[in-house]
Amino acid sequence: MYYYLDISFVNQDITAALFKNHIITSIKHVFGEIAAAIPFDVVKYDPSEIRAIVRVTQDHYVKFRGSLTLAGYYQGKPCAYIVHKVSPLLLSLLGDSRTYVH
Amino acid sequence: MLSPEIWNFKAPDSLVKVEKGNIVNNNCFNTIQKLHHNHLVSVVLPDTLRVPQNICETLKNDCEYYKISNVGLDELVNINFINAFVRKGIFISLSINERIDCDDCMCITPNGFLLLSLTKETYESLGLEGTPSHYYNTKQRYVVSINLLSNHFKPGKKNYDRTKDRLLTLKKMTLLINWEPPHLDICPSSVAKYFDDLKFDVQVCLPDFQMRTNYTIKVPNFTMDNIHEFVEWLGMFSLESDLGGGGESYLSTYETPQPYQEYGQVKFLQWRGFFSSQQINKLLEVLISHLKDEEKPWISLYVQGFSDVVVGWDLQEHHYYTNGDNGYVIVLNSEDYMVYQHMCSKKSYK
């Protein structure tokens, strides 16, 4: 079973491959070499918003999210990840009733 | 080496219930009746060149709902309002722009209960009787339930007067309301006129509708054996994610589940707004009749509830943990149906 995260990166425009690479570096930085081997997939990437949907197994979700929180720098400049929505059901990332304007 | 016990972080639980059956029994309608405040509806139609007009319009025509700003909750226990709308037809309402994990929220259920989910501070200053929330062991949140349809709940009775008086002290909220009249000759906008006459800011809201077509798509066959993969594929397709073109990719290892079939056109329809379970029922009826008219491999319907509503499935208390999702997926083919029910975690905070 998987968890799906809708996240965006706050720093500068980067490609999908660099985006994934930066997450791996962040996991390695916080949890070490072995945790950096956590398999995860960037299933959708929107370069205009630097926003992605990422799939990670349930067992690794907590460590993965912890690494995103603690990711501090990209190429020496401060950076951050915004987690918009998280769900074990991918379809629920279609929309968020909290941010919808009626 | 670090202790594996300490490093075993578990993800928050979520509950999934899968049910299947024969379409003739109409049991798939039972699930719809259990979730009353619905926000998002999406439909996937594989192998479809033209979407019938009646499918698109089921949730567009007569599905207007109203947004009323800055309403004092004492207006909702006004006896004229209860007799005209809550007692007749189907009335649902909920507060928006309030978060259930940190603010005060309210909703009205179709069976005539006004429910408030309040923070400890608001509850203590309100002075109405309630019960501690199931999700907070430390009693940080309370739920107050008022039966608007009770025979004793009328002016002159002590309970009514006190409730109205105390609700006056609560802060004003922005509400969404949806009312289905008891007869066809009564206009659903009567409820908007009622609030407009009271000089409230009433706004009519139309559901937001989107439709898109994707071409040459590998569509997995629908069987009960691969239900999780199938629902995941529905998500991948609906979000226009990378469906996996085969071969190793650095970004994603996802691939369309096998066996699959390639179709020229796959339609995706989505409505967002505020829908009652009766409106979703009508859509499902239209989809079932469409399946009878035309040969389709399957049709799927996904419905998502509101994150910040006081009650979720079966009018049980709702909360927001990693997410506040309640939703279900119904997949139909000409004979069978499958309901994939997704419930928010029941875990309580320590």
Side-chain angles (χ1 to χ4, degrees), chain A residues 3-4 20 31 41-44 55 58 62 85-88 90 92 95-98 100 102, chain B residues 7 11-12 14 65 67 101 208 232 236 239 241-242 250-251 253 272 302 304 307-308 323 325:
Chain A
Y3 250 82
Y4 304 90
K20 183 166 182 177
F31 292 102
D41 299 308
V42 179
V43 294
K44 185 184 177 182
R55 173 176 88 154
Q58 254 178 10
V62 175
K85 196 170 179 185
V86 172
S87 178
L90 181 56
S92 86
D96 189 355
S97 63
R98 274 196 170 178
Y100 184 79
H102 290 273
Chain B
W7 285 85
S14 71
Y65 56 99
K67 182 167 101 174
D101 45 349
D208 172 56
E232 183 183 40
M236 292 282 180
L239 286 157
S241 306
D242 180 11
Y250 173 66
L251 286 179
T253 54
R272 290 183 80 173
Y302 168 65
Q304 183 184 317
S307 298
D308 298 304
N323 60 60
D325 284 340

mmCIF file of all heavy atoms in Angstrom, chain A residues 3-4 20 31 41-44 55 58 62 85-88 90 92 95-98 100 102, chain B residues 7 11-12 14 65 67 101 208 232 236 239 241-242 250-251 253 272 302 304 307-308 323 325:
data_model
loop_
_atom_site.group_PDB
_atom_site.id
_atom_site.type_symbol
_atom_site.label_atom_id
_atom_site.label_comp_id
_atom_site.label_asym_id
_atom_site.label_seq_id
_atom_site.Cartn_x
_atom_site.Cartn_y
_atom_site.Cartn_z
ATOM 1 N N TYR A 3 1.293 5.737 0.044
ATOM 2 C CA TYR A 3 0.807 7.057 0.414
ATOM 3 C C TYR A 3 1.159 7.998 -0.736
ATOM 4 O O TYR A 3 2.208 7.852 -1.358
ATOM 5 C CB TYR A 3 1.506 7.540 1.696
ATOM 6 C CG TYR A 3 0.597 7.577 2.887
ATOM 7 C CD1 TYR A 3 0.327 6.427 3.613
ATOM 8 C CD2 TYR A 3 -0.006 8.771 3.280
ATOM 9 C CE1 TYR A 3 -0.519 6.452 4.695
ATOM 10 C CE2 TYR A 3 -0.856 8.804 4.361
ATOM 11 C CZ TYR A 3 -1.113 7.649 5.067
ATOM 12 O OH TYR A 3 -1.967 7.685 6.139
ATOM 13 N N TYR A 4 0.293 8.962 -1.008
ATOM 14 C CA TYR A 4 0.544 9.900 -2.097
ATOM 15 C C TYR A 4 0.623 11.309 -1.522
ATOM 16 O O TYR A 4 -0.207 11.698 -0.701
ATOM 17 C CB TYR A 4 -0.581 9.817 -3.131
ATOM 18 C CG TYR A 4 -0.766 8.414 -3.647
ATOM 19 C CD1 TYR A 4 -1.645 7.543 -3.000
ATOM 20 C CD2 TYR A 4 -0.055 7.945 -4.739
ATOM 21 C CE1 TYR A 4 -1.809 6.235 -3.440
ATOM 22 C CE2 TYR A 4 -0.217 6.650 -5.190
ATOM 23 C CZ TYR A 4 -1.089 5.792 -4.530
ATOM 24 O OH TYR A 4 -1.240 4.494 -4.966
ATOM 25 N N LYS A 20 13.745 15.088 -7.804
ATOM 26 C CA LYS A 20 13.817 13.775 -7.158
ATOM 27 C C LYS A 20 15.165 13.604 -6.466
ATOM 28 O O LYS A 20 15.244 13.097 -5.344
ATOM 29 C CB LYS A 20 13.585 12.666 -8.191
ATOM 30 C CG LYS A 20 13.586 11.285 -7.557
ATOM 31 C CD LYS A 20 13.037 10.199 -8.438
ATOM 32 C CE LYS A 20 13.058 8.872 -7.662
ATOM 33 N NZ LYS A 20 12.481 7.766 -8.388
ATOM 34 N N PHE A 31 18.422 10.654 7.501
ATOM 35 C CA PHE A 31 18.319 9.265 7.956
ATOM 36 C C PHE A 31 19.469 8.375 7.490
ATOM 37 O O PHE A 31 19.479 7.184 7.792
ATOM 38 C CB PHE A 31 16.987 8.653 7.509
ATOM 39 C CG PHE A 31 15.794 9.263 8.191
ATOM 40 C CD1 PHE A 31 14.994 10.185 7.551
ATOM 41 C CD2 PHE A 31 15.486 8.927 9.506
ATOM 42 C CE1 PHE A 31 13.900 10.747 8.179
ATOM 43 C CE2 PHE A 31 14.393 9.483 10.146
ATOM 44 C CZ PHE A 31 13.594 10.399 9.492
ATOM 45 N N ASP A 41 8.314 7.272 -6.161
ATOM 46 C CA ASP A 41 8.086 7.641 -7.559
ATOM 47 C C ASP A 41 7.528 9.046 -7.659
ATOM 48 O O ASP A 41 6.628 9.402 -6.904
ATOM 49 C CB ASP A 41 7.065 6.691 -8.201
ATOM 50 C CG ASP A 41 7.547 5.262 -8.208
ATOM 51 O OD1 ASP A 41 8.666 5.031 -8.682
ATOM 52 O OD2 ASP A 41 6.821 4.387 -7.704
ATOM 53 N N VAL A 42 8.070 9.817 -8.598
ATOM 54 C CA VAL A 42 7.473 11.116 -8.908
ATOM 55 C C VAL A 42 6.504 10.839 -10.056
ATOM 56 O O VAL A 42 6.900 10.725 -11.202
ATOM 57 C CB VAL A 42 8.546 12.145 -9.327
ATOM 58 C CG1 VAL A 42 7.909 13.485 -9.661
ATOM 59 C CG2 VAL A 42 9.562 12.313 -8.213
ATOM 60 N N VAL A 43 5.218 10.673 -9.740
ATOM 61 C CA VAL A 43 4.281 10.225 -10.774
ATOM 62 C C VAL A 43 3.769 11.381 -11.630
ATOM 63 O O VAL A 43 3.275 11.186 -12.724
ATOM 64 C CB VAL A 43 3.098 9.415 -10.195
ATOM 65 C CG1 VAL A 43 3.576 8.119 -9.600
ATOM 66 C CG2 VAL A 43 2.306 10.201 -9.188
ATOM 67 N N LYS A 44 3.872 12.601 -11.109
ATOM 68 C CA LYS A 44 3.468 13.758 -11.913
ATOM 69 C C LYS A 44 4.338 14.933 -11.498
ATOM 70 O O LYS A 44 4.577 15.131 -10.309
ATOM 71 C CB LYS A 44 1.993 14.065 -11.658
ATOM 72 C CG LYS A 44 1.461 15.162 -12.542
ATOM 73 C CD LYS A 44 0.029 15.511 -12.201
ATOM 74 C CE LYS A 44 -0.429 16.657 -13.073
ATOM 75 N NZ LYS A 44 -1.788 17.068 -12.773
ATOM 76 N N ARG A 55 4.723 9.205 -4.898
ATOM 77 C CA ARG A 55 4.171 7.981 -4.323
ATOM 78 C C ARG A 55 5.258 7.306 -3.497
ATOM 79 O O ARG A 55 6.366 7.102 -3.979
ATOM 80 C CB ARG A 55 3.723 7.075 -5.469
ATOM 81 C CG ARG A 55 3.277 5.700 -5.063
ATOM 82 C CD ARG A 55 2.766 4.929 -6.257
ATOM 83 N NE ARG A 55 3.856 4.228 -6.939
ATOM 84 C CZ ARG A 55 3.681 3.127 -7.673
ATOM 85 N NH1 ARG A 55 2.479 2.622 -7.837
ATOM 86 N NH2 ARG A 55 4.700 2.540 -8.255
ATOM 87 N N GLN A 58 3.737 2.875 2.365
ATOM 88 C CA GLN A 58 3.264 3.265 3.689
ATOM 89 C C GLN A 58 4.346 3.138 4.768
ATOM 90 O O GLN A 58 4.445 3.965 5.653
ATOM 91 C CB GLN A 58 2.060 2.405 4.079
ATOM 92 C CG GLN A 58 0.799 3.208 3.993
ATOM 93 C CD GLN A 58 -0.456 2.438 4.317
ATOM 94 O OE1 GLN A 58 -0.416 1.321 4.795
ATOM 95 N NE2 GLN A 58 -1.570 3.054 4.061
ATOM 96 N N VAL A 62 6.531 8.069 6.935
ATOM 97 C CA VAL A 62 6.874 8.984 8.037
ATOM 98 C C VAL A 62 8.293 9.532 7.874
ATOM 99 O O VAL A 62 8.534 10.733 7.999
ATOM 100 C CB VAL A 62 6.690 8.285 9.398
ATOM 101 C CG1 VAL A 62 7.158 9.176 10.532
ATOM 102 C CG2 VAL A 62 5.229 7.933 9.605
ATOM 103 N N LYS A 85 -1.366 18.311 0.218
ATOM 104 C CA LYS A 85 -2.316 17.293 0.671
ATOM 105 C C LYS A 85 -1.656 15.928 0.634
ATOM 106 O O LYS A 85 -0.818 15.672 -0.229
ATOM 107 C CB LYS A 85 -3.561 17.297 -0.228
ATOM 108 C CG LYS A 85 -4.736 16.557 0.391
ATOM 109 C CD LYS A 85 -6.017 16.754 -0.369
ATOM 110 C CE LYS A 85 -7.130 15.979 0.292
ATOM 111 N NZ LYS A 85 -8.382 16.011 -0.445
ATOM 112 N N VAL A 86 -2.058 15.072 1.561
ATOM 113 C CA VAL A 86 -1.503 13.722 1.636
ATOM 114 C C VAL A 86 -2.664 12.759 1.799
ATOM 115 O O VAL A 86 -3.588 13.036 2.548
ATOM 116 C CB VAL A 86 -0.583 13.611 2.868
ATOM 117 C CG1 VAL A 86 -0.151 12.184 3.076
ATOM 118 C CG2 VAL A 86 0.625 14.489 2.720
ATOM 119 N N SER A 87 -2.616 11.653 1.088
ATOM 120 C CA SER A 87 -3.691 10.680 1.249
ATOM 121 C C SER A 87 -3.246 9.299 0.812
ATOM 122 O O SER A 87 -2.418 9.168 -0.086
ATOM 123 C CB SER A 87 -4.892 11.108 0.414
ATOM 124 O OG SER A 87 -5.901 10.151 0.524
ATOM 125 N N PRO A 88 -3.801 8.250 1.421
ATOM 126 C CA PRO A 88 -3.524 6.904 0.916
ATOM 127 C C PRO A 88 -4.358 6.576 -0.321
ATOM 128 O O PRO A 88 -4.160 5.543 -0.940
ATOM 129 C CB PRO A 88 -3.896 5.986 2.077
ATOM 130 C CG PRO A 88 -4.620 6.822 3.059
ATOM 131 C CD PRO A 88 -4.592 8.247 2.651
ATOM 132 N N LEU A 90 -5.142 7.895 -4.006
ATOM 133 C CA LEU A 90 -4.635 8.869 -4.977
ATOM 134 C C LEU A 90 -5.734 9.794 -5.508
ATOM 135 O O LEU A 90 -5.514 10.979 -5.718
ATOM 136 C CB LEU A 90 -3.945 8.114 -6.121
ATOM 137 C CG LEU A 90 -3.315 8.940 -7.234
ATOM 138 C CD1 LEU A 90 -2.313 9.934 -6.696
ATOM 139 C CD2 LEU A 90 -2.646 8.042 -8.255
ATOM 140 N N SER A 92 -8.078 11.151 -4.102
ATOM 141 C CA SER A 92 -8.465 12.267 -3.231
ATOM 142 C C SER A 92 -7.588 13.497 -3.470
ATOM 143 O O SER A 92 -7.936 14.591 -3.046
ATOM 144 C CB SER A 92 -8.451 11.850 -1.772
ATOM 145 O OG SER A 92 -7.185 12.003 -1.249
ATOM 146 N N GLY A 95 -8.812 17.094 -5.572
ATOM 147 C CA GLY A 95 -9.253 18.400 -5.094
ATOM 148 C C GLY A 95 -9.263 18.454 -3.579
ATOM 149 O O GLY A 95 -9.298 17.421 -2.919
ATOM 150 N N ASP A 96 -9.186 19.664 -3.054
ATOM 151 C CA ASP A 96 -9.195 19.845 -1.607
ATOM 152 C C ASP A 96 -10.324 20.811 -1.270
ATOM 153 O O ASP A 96 -10.330 21.951 -1.744
ATOM 154 C CB ASP A 96 -7.834 20.415 -1.170
ATOM 155 C CG ASP A 96 -7.704 20.428 0.332
ATOM 156 O OD1 ASP A 96 -8.684 20.098 1.015
ATOM 157 O OD2 ASP A 96 -6.621 20.788 0.836
ATOM 158 N N SER A 97 -11.276 20.354 -0.458
ATOM 159 C CA SER A 97 -12.414 21.226 -0.136
ATOM 160 C C SER A 97 -11.983 22.412 0.724
ATOM 161 O O SER A 97 -12.665 23.415 0.786
ATOM 162 C CB SER A 97 -13.508 20.427 0.567
ATOM 163 O OG SER A 97 -13.041 19.942 1.787
ATOM 164 N N ARG A 98 -10.824 22.321 1.372
ATOM 165 C CA ARG A 98 -10.348 23.428 2.212
ATOM 166 C C ARG A 98 -9.955 24.652 1.392
ATOM 167 O O ARG A 98 -10.122 25.775 1.824
ATOM 168 C CB ARG A 98 -9.110 22.996 3.004
ATOM 169 C CG ARG A 98 -9.471 22.318 4.268
ATOM 170 C CD ARG A 98 -8.307 22.237 5.216
ATOM 171 N NE ARG A 98 -8.846 21.780 6.487
ATOM 172 C CZ ARG A 98 -8.132 21.543 7.562
ATOM 173 N NH1 ARG A 98 -6.840 21.696 7.529
ATOM 174 N NH2 ARG A 98 -8.695 21.152 8.664
ATOM 175 N N TYR A 100 -10.908 25.213 -1.875
ATOM 176 C CA TYR A 100 -11.846 25.518 -2.966
ATOM 177 C C TYR A 100 -12.640 26.783 -2.637
ATOM 178 O O TYR A 100 -13.118 26.948 -1.522
ATOM 179 C CB TYR A 100 -12.793 24.331 -3.160
ATOM 180 C CG TYR A 100 -13.752 24.502 -4.318
ATOM 181 C CD1 TYR A 100 -13.335 24.287 -5.618
ATOM 182 C CD2 TYR A 100 -15.076 24.874 -4.100
ATOM 183 C CE1 TYR A 100 -14.211 24.436 -6.685
ATOM 184 C CE2 TYR A 100 -15.961 25.028 -5.148
ATOM 185 C CZ TYR A 100 -15.518 24.803 -6.452
ATOM 186 O OH TYR A 100 -16.385 24.954 -7.497
ATOM 187 N N HIS A 102 -15.944 28.770 -3.189
ATOM 188 C CA HIS A 102 -17.321 28.555 -3.675
ATOM 189 C C HIS A 102 -17.883 29.834 -4.284
ATOM 190 O O HIS A 102 -17.546 30.914 -3.861
ATOM 191 C CB HIS A 102 -18.205 28.096 -2.519
ATOM 192 C CG HIS A 102 -17.882 26.718 -2.051
ATOM 193 N ND1 HIS A 102 -18.423 25.589 -2.595
ATOM 194 C CD2 HIS A 102 -17.026 26.299 -1.091
ATOM 195 C CE1 HIS A 102 -17.931 24.536 -1.983
ATOM 196 N NE2 HIS A 102 -17.074 24.928 -1.071
ATOM 197 N N TRP B 7 12.961 2.753 15.363
ATOM 198 C CA TRP B 7 12.927 3.361 14.034
ATOM 199 C C TRP B 7 11.776 2.865 13.173
ATOM 200 O O TRP B 7 11.744 3.109 11.997
ATOM 201 C CB TRP B 7 14.275 3.148 13.345
ATOM 202 C CG TRP B 7 15.256 4.077 13.938
ATOM 203 C CD1 TRP B 7 15.981 3.861 15.052
ATOM 204 C CD2 TRP B 7 15.536 5.394 13.515
ATOM 205 N NE1 TRP B 7 16.718 4.961 15.358
ATOM 206 C CE2 TRP B 7 16.474 5.919 14.433
ATOM 207 C CE3 TRP B 7 15.119 6.191 12.464
ATOM 208 C CZ2 TRP B 7 16.968 7.221 14.316
ATOM 209 C CZ3 TRP B 7 15.619 7.470 12.345
ATOM 210 C CH2 TRP B 7 16.535 7.967 13.264
ATOM 211 N N ALA B 11 2.864 4.623 9.468
ATOM 212 C CA ALA B 11 2.041 5.657 8.835
ATOM 213 C C ALA B 11 0.657 5.632 9.479
ATOM 214 O O ALA B 11 0.218 4.590 9.953
ATOM 215 C CB ALA B 11 1.933 5.380 7.348
ATOM 216 N N PRO B 12 -0.029 6.777 9.537
ATOM 217 C CA PRO B 12 -1.378 6.780 10.102
ATOM 218 C C PRO B 12 -2.285 5.808 9.348
ATOM 219 O O PRO B 12 -2.201 5.703 8.130
ATOM 220 C CB PRO B 12 -1.851 8.225 9.879
ATOM 221 C CG PRO B 12 -0.631 9.010 9.642
ATOM 222 C CD PRO B 12 0.377 8.087 9.051
ATOM 223 N N SER B 14 -5.492 4.077 7.645
ATOM 224 C CA SER B 14 -6.700 4.526 6.968
ATOM 225 C C SER B 14 -7.535 3.285 6.722
ATOM 226 O O SER B 14 -7.007 2.178 6.642
ATOM 227 C CB SER B 14 -6.373 5.217 5.658
ATOM 228 O OG SER B 14 -5.932 4.270 4.747
ATOM 229 N N TYR B 65 -26.442 25.739 -5.250
ATOM 230 C CA TYR B 65 -26.479 25.793 -3.790
ATOM 231 C C TYR B 65 -26.145 27.231 -3.413
ATOM 232 O O TYR B 65 -25.777 28.042 -4.269
ATOM 233 C CB TYR B 65 -25.506 24.782 -3.171
ATOM 234 C CG TYR B 65 -24.082 24.928 -3.624
ATOM 235 C CD1 TYR B 65 -23.143 25.601 -2.838
ATOM 236 C CD2 TYR B 65 -23.653 24.417 -4.838
ATOM 237 C CE1 TYR B 65 -21.827 25.760 -3.265
ATOM 238 C CE2 TYR B 65 -22.352 24.567 -5.268
ATOM 239 C CZ TYR B 65 -21.450 25.241 -4.478
ATOM 240 O OH TYR B 65 -20.163 25.387 -4.909
ATOM 241 N N LYS B 67 -24.421 30.264 -0.825
ATOM 242 C CA LYS B 67 -23.418 30.625 0.197
ATOM 243 C C LYS B 67 -23.951 31.842 0.941
ATOM 244 O O LYS B 67 -24.288 32.853 0.317
ATOM 245 C CB LYS B 67 -22.090 30.946 -0.489
ATOM 246 C CG LYS B 67 -20.984 31.285 0.494
ATOM 247 C CD LYS B 67 -19.640 31.285 -0.195
ATOM 248 C CE LYS B 67 -19.186 32.686 -0.507
ATOM 249 N NZ LYS B 67 -17.822 32.734 -1.041
ATOM 250 N N ASP B 101 -9.836 20.860 12.751
ATOM 251 C CA ASP B 101 -8.806 20.532 13.738
ATOM 252 C C ASP B 101 -8.413 21.733 14.593
ATOM 253 O O ASP B 101 -7.727 21.569 15.593
ATOM 254 C CB ASP B 101 -7.573 19.905 13.069
ATOM 255 C CG ASP B 101 -7.143 20.650 11.818
ATOM 256 O OD1 ASP B 101 -7.908 21.509 11.364
ATOM 257 O OD2 ASP B 101 -6.050 20.376 11.321
ATOM 258 N N ASP B 208 -18.841 23.635 -10.396
ATOM 259 C CA ASP B 208 -17.797 23.823 -11.407
ATOM 260 C C ASP B 208 -17.667 22.508 -12.178
ATOM 261 O O ASP B 208 -17.471 21.455 -11.584
ATOM 262 C CB ASP B 208 -16.491 24.177 -10.669
ATOM 263 C CG ASP B 208 -15.321 24.211 -11.598
ATOM 264 O OD1 ASP B 208 -15.394 24.956 -12.565
ATOM 265 O OD2 ASP B 208 -14.337 23.486 -11.349
ATOM 266 N N GLU B 232 -5.883 2.712 -8.035
ATOM 267 C CA GLU B 232 -4.701 3.558 -8.198
ATOM 268 C C GLU B 232 -4.601 4.061 -9.637
ATOM 269 O O GLU B 232 -4.321 5.237 -9.879
ATOM 270 C CB GLU B 232 -3.441 2.763 -7.836
ATOM 271 C CG GLU B 232 -2.186 3.606 -7.906
ATOM 272 C CD GLU B 232 -0.919 2.816 -7.625
ATOM 273 O OE1 GLU B 232 -0.810 1.675 -8.078
ATOM 274 O OE2 GLU B 232 -0.045 3.355 -6.931
ATOM 275 N N MET B 236 -4.307 7.798 -11.177
ATOM 276 C CA MET B 236 -3.240 8.215 -12.107
ATOM 277 C C MET B 236 -3.845 8.856 -13.352
ATOM 278 O O MET B 236 -3.400 9.905 -13.808
ATOM 279 C CB MET B 236 -2.407 6.992 -12.549
ATOM 280 C CG MET B 236 -1.588 6.381 -11.451
ATOM 281 S SD MET B 236 -0.117 7.343 -11.123
ATOM 282 C CE MET B 236 0.623 6.396 -9.824
ATOM 283 N N LEU B 239 -5.641 12.307 -12.559
ATOM 284 C CA LEU B 239 -4.710 13.402 -12.289
ATOM 285 C C LEU B 239 -3.783 13.671 -13.475
ATOM 286 O O LEU B 239 -2.864 14.478 -13.373
ATOM 287 C CB LEU B 239 -3.873 13.076 -11.055
ATOM 288 C CG LEU B 239 -4.616 13.189 -9.727
ATOM 289 C CD1 LEU B 239 -3.942 12.346 -8.671
ATOM 290 C CD2 LEU B 239 -4.678 14.626 -9.270
ATOM 291 N N SER B 241 -1.449 11.804 -14.637
ATOM 292 C CA SER B 241 -0.074 11.460 -14.285
ATOM 293 C C SER B 241 0.551 10.616 -15.387
ATOM 294 O O SER B 241 -0.131 10.186 -16.314
ATOM 295 C CB SER B 241 -0.056 10.653 -12.989
ATOM 296 O OG SER B 241 -0.732 11.335 -12.000
ATOM 297 N N ASP B 242 1.817 10.352 -15.203
ATOM 298 C CA ASP B 242 2.546 9.513 -16.137
ATOM 299 C C ASP B 242 2.058 8.071 -15.975
ATOM 300 O O ASP B 242 2.225 7.470 -14.903
ATOM 301 C CB ASP B 242 4.047 9.627 -15.811
ATOM 302 C CG ASP B 242 4.895 8.784 -16.722
ATOM 303 O OD1 ASP B 242 4.343 8.286 -17.719
ATOM 304 O OD2 ASP B 242 6.089 8.638 -16.439
ATOM 305 N N TYR B 250 13.869 6.968 -14.424
ATOM 306 C CA TYR B 250 14.452 7.412 -13.151
ATOM 307 C C TYR B 250 13.361 7.965 -12.238
ATOM 308 O O TYR B 250 13.369 7.757 -11.037
ATOM 309 C CB TYR B 250 15.505 8.482 -13.428
ATOM 310 C CG TYR B 250 16.075 9.139 -12.181
ATOM 311 C CD1 TYR B 250 16.840 8.407 -11.276
ATOM 312 C CD2 TYR B 250 15.840 10.480 -11.917
ATOM 313 C CE1 TYR B 250 17.348 9.004 -10.141
ATOM 314 C CE2 TYR B 250 16.348 11.089 -10.784
ATOM 315 C CZ TYR B 250 17.110 10.340 -9.897
ATOM 316 O OH TYR B 250 17.610 10.926 -8.771
ATOM 317 N N LEU B 251 12.365 8.649 -12.852
ATOM 318 C CA LEU B 251 11.354 9.334 -12.047
ATOM 319 C C LEU B 251 10.334 8.393 -11.431
ATOM 320 O O LEU B 251 10.001 8.503 -10.265
ATOM 321 C CB LEU B 251 10.623 10.374 -12.905
ATOM 322 C CG LEU B 251 11.387 11.633 -13.237
ATOM 323 C CD1 LEU B 251 10.536 12.538 -14.098
ATOM 324 C CD2 LEU B 251 11.786 12.373 -11.958
ATOM 325 N N THR B 253 8.432 4.308 -11.409
ATOM 326 C CA THR B 253 8.416 2.905 -11.828
ATOM 327 C C THR B 253 6.984 2.443 -12.101
ATOM 328 O O THR B 253 6.741 1.263 -12.305
ATOM 329 C CB THR B 253 9.021 2.012 -10.724
ATOM 330 O OG1 THR B 253 8.315 2.281 -9.507
ATOM 331 C CG2 THR B 253 10.493 2.263 -10.526
ATOM 332 N N ARG B 272 -17.405 20.047 -9.091
ATOM 333 C CA ARG B 272 -17.059 20.443 -7.721
ATOM 334 C C ARG B 272 -18.100 21.426 -7.216
ATOM 335 O O ARG B 272 -18.565 22.281 -7.956
ATOM 336 C CB ARG B 272 -15.678 21.093 -7.675
ATOM 337 C CG ARG B 272 -14.572 20.096 -7.935
ATOM 338 C CD ARG B 272 -13.222 20.734 -7.808
ATOM 339 N NE ARG B 272 -12.821 20.848 -6.413
ATOM 340 C CZ ARG B 272 -11.611 21.255 -6.034
ATOM 341 N NH1 ARG B 272 -10.732 21.613 -6.920
ATOM 342 N NH2 ARG B 272 -11.306 21.329 -4.761
ATOM 343 N N TYR B 302 -16.314 8.517 -8.723
ATOM 344 C CA TYR B 302 -15.603 8.803 -7.476
ATOM 345 C C TYR B 302 -16.256 10.000 -6.798
ATOM 346 O O TYR B 302 -16.533 11.013 -7.444
ATOM 347 C CB TYR B 302 -14.124 9.103 -7.747
ATOM 348 C CG TYR B 302 -13.406 9.695 -6.554
ATOM 349 C CD1 TYR B 302 -13.231 8.953 -5.386
ATOM 350 C CD2 TYR B 302 -12.927 11.008 -6.559
ATOM 351 C CE1 TYR B 302 -12.596 9.495 -4.283
ATOM 352 C CE2 TYR B 302 -12.284 11.554 -5.458
ATOM 353 C CZ TYR B 302 -12.123 10.795 -4.320
ATOM 354 O OH TYR B 302 -11.509 11.333 -3.222
ATOM 355 N N GLN B 304 -16.062 12.524 -3.285
ATOM 356 C CA GLN B 304 -15.250 12.928 -2.131
ATOM 357 C C GLN B 304 -16.067 13.860 -1.244
ATOM 358 O O GLN B 304 -16.727 14.767 -1.738
ATOM 359 C CB GLN B 304 -14.005 13.648 -2.652
ATOM 360 C CG GLN B 304 -13.039 14.070 -1.573
ATOM 361 C CD GLN B 304 -11.865 14.859 -2.162
ATOM 362 O OE1 GLN B 304 -11.308 14.510 -3.191
ATOM 363 N NE2 GLN B 304 -11.494 15.929 -1.520
ATOM 364 N N SER B 307 -13.641 18.003 3.836
ATOM 365 C CA SER B 307 -12.631 17.717 4.864
ATOM 366 C C SER B 307 -13.065 18.234 6.227
ATOM 367 O O SER B 307 -12.715 17.673 7.253
ATOM 368 C CB SER B 307 -11.313 18.390 4.507
ATOM 369 O OG SER B 307 -10.827 17.905 3.321
ATOM 370 N N ASP B 308 -13.814 19.337 6.243
ATOM 371 C CA ASP B 308 -14.101 19.992 7.527
ATOM 372 C C ASP B 308 -15.586 19.955 7.870
ATOM 373 O O ASP B 308 -16.189 20.967 8.197
ATOM 374 C CB ASP B 308 -13.608 21.437 7.477
ATOM 375 C CG ASP B 308 -12.120 21.495 7.268
ATOM 376 O OD1 ASP B 308 -11.402 20.892 8.064
ATOM 377 O OD2 ASP B 308 -11.682 22.114 6.294
ATOM 378 N N ASN B 323 -5.207 13.841 6.753
ATOM 379 C CA ASN B 323 -6.154 14.421 5.805
ATOM 380 C C ASN B 323 -7.539 14.223 6.401
ATOM 381 O O ASN B 323 -7.692 13.540 7.408
ATOM 382 C CB ASN B 323 -6.050 13.758 4.430
ATOM 383 C CG ASN B 323 -6.336 12.288 4.496
ATOM 384 O OD1 ASN B 323 -7.423 11.887 4.893
ATOM 385 N ND2 ASN B 323 -5.358 11.477 4.146
ATOM 386 N N ASP B 325 -10.216 13.044 4.603
ATOM 387 C CA ASP B 325 -10.935 12.501 3.459
ATOM 388 C C ASP B 325 -11.913 11.417 3.815
ATOM 389 O O ASP B 325 -11.587 10.493 4.546
ATOM 390 C CB ASP B 325 -9.940 11.875 2.476
ATOM 391 C CG ASP B 325 -9.220 12.930 1.708
ATOM 392 O OD1 ASP B 325 -9.729 14.037 1.656
ATOM 393 O OD2 ASP B 325 -8.145 12.623 1.180
#
